[in-house]
């Protein structure tokens, strides 16, 4: 990577934070890694993640009230901005809003060109941080099963590295478990079962209670017969109830009821 730009020893010192590099040399190094400047800024600047969280809070308020017209206006606005300026933040905002619209209305048309650009962006960023993990998790509805499988494998390989950052690890684990949920929703049960197997092969920390709970719950639905699954998941839901999470337990019970009503 350093060839033709700087010495290997200087690159090593830069990685160790012992020397600074000029802007030009940083850009040249990024080009060698096939990472453009926008991607680099989004990876290293926490403001992008903060701005995205603010955006999500606004969208969730509209989503919870089923305000489809308002959501579509925001989607069209970010889509037009992205088509004009090719800014990746507008790309992820447009894609996220489209995914929310698709969640509310399964017949909502998906802009495949936008999904393709989102996929290219996520696959191009080699080391996902909270920003990319959150975007992936929020856009599962519109990403193809095959691409989800590819991205999930990449996240699994990155898990050990993210374990060093407990917050990153929690985001990553929940995003992975939610891929199973997405596959069940589109009735891609072969992919869903494969993802269960792949995620189970990871060393999931005991502290990741929500991820472990949801993984076991979905695994029971996919791999056990109906009576065994209802019995095993009933015990899981009872434990939630005893912990005082009655609303969450009721939501999972409704999920299980809907799963069997649609797949009997």
């Amino acid at each position: 990577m350093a060839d033709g730009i700087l010495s290997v020893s200087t690159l090593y010192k830069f990685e160790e934070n012992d020397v600074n590099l000029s802007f030009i040399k940083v850009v040249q190094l990024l080009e060698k890694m096939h990472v453009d400047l926008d991607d680099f800024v989004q990876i290293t600047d926490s403001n992008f993640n903060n701005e995205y969280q603010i955006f999500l809070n606004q969208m969730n308020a509209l989503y919870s009230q089923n305000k489809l017209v308002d959501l579509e206006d925001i989607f069209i606005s970010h889509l037009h901005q992205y088509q004009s300026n090719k800014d990746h933040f507008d790309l992820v905002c447009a894609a996220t809003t489209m995914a929310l619209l698709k969640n509310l209305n399964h017949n909502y048309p998906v802009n495949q060109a936008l999904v393709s650009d989102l996929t290219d962006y996520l696959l191009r960023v080699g080391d996902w941080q909270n920003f990319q993990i959150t975007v992936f998790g929020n856009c599962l509805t519109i990403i193809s099963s095959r691409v989800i499988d590819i991205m999930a494998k990449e996240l699994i390989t990155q898990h050990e590295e993210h374990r060093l950052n407990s917050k990153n690890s929690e985001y990553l684990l929940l995003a992975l478990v939610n891929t199973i949920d997405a596959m069940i929703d589109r009735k891609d049960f072969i992919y869903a079962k494969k993802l269960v197997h792949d995620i189970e092969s990871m060393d999931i920390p005991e502290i990741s209670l929500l991820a472990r709970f949801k993984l076991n719950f979905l695994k029971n639905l996919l791999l056990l017969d109906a009576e065994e699954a209802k019995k095993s998941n009933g015990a899981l839901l009872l434990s939630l109830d005893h912990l005082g999470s009655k609303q969450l337990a009721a939501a999972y019970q409704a999920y299980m009821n809907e799963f069997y009503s649609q797949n009997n």
Side-chain angles (χ1 to χ4, degrees), residues 14 21-45 48 85-89 121 124-125 131-132:
F14 174 65
L21 297 181
S22 69
F23 176 79
I24 298 298
K25 289 197 181 298
V26 170
V27 170
Q28 289 174 332
L29 290 170
L30 291 174
E31 287 176 349
K32 283 285 190 79
M33 295 187 290
H34 306 290
V35 175
D36 64 33
L37 192 57
D38 284 344
D39 292 344
F40 179 69
V41 171
Q42 289 179 22
I43 292 168
T44 58
D45 187 351
F48 276 94
N85 59 27
K86 295 301 179 183
D87 183 89
H88 286 129
F89 190 75
Y121 163 69
R124 207 165 57 242
V125 179
F131 178 71
Q132 287 81 21

Side-chain angles (χ1 to χ4, degrees), residues 224-249:
L224 300 180
D225 63 50
E227 290 306 313
E228 289 179 333
K230 288 176 182 178
K231 182 178 179 181
S232 296
N233 281 343
L236 289 174
L237 298 182
L238 188 61
S239 67
L240 275 185
D241 196 34
H242 287 160
L243 290 170
S245 302
K246 296 182 183 296
Q247 193 171 9
L248 187 59

Side-chain angles (χ1 to χ4, degrees), residues 11-24:
L11 177 59
Y12 177 77
K13 289 176 182 176
F14 174 65
E15 291 174 339
E16 295 296 306
N17 204 30
D18 291 332
V19 299
N20 291 322
L21 297 181
S22 69
F23 176 79
I24 298 298

Side-chain angles (χ1 to χ4, degrees), residues 132-151:
Q132 287 81 21
I133 294 169
T134 307
V135 170
F136 172 65
N138 289 331
C139 294
L140 287 169
T141 306
I142 59 175
I143 301 174
S144 73
S145 300
R146 178 59 183 148
V147 172
I148 287 175
D149 185 44
I150 292 170
M151 292 181 176

Side-chain angles (χ1 to χ4, degrees), residues 48-65:
F48 276 94
N49 195 47
N50 293 337
E51 288 179 33
Y52 187 58
Q53 289 301 326
I54 293 170
F55 170 79
L56 287 179
N57 291 339
Q58 295 169 341
M59 294 306 98
N60 286 336
L62 297 174
Y63 179 78
S64 64
Q65 298 172 50

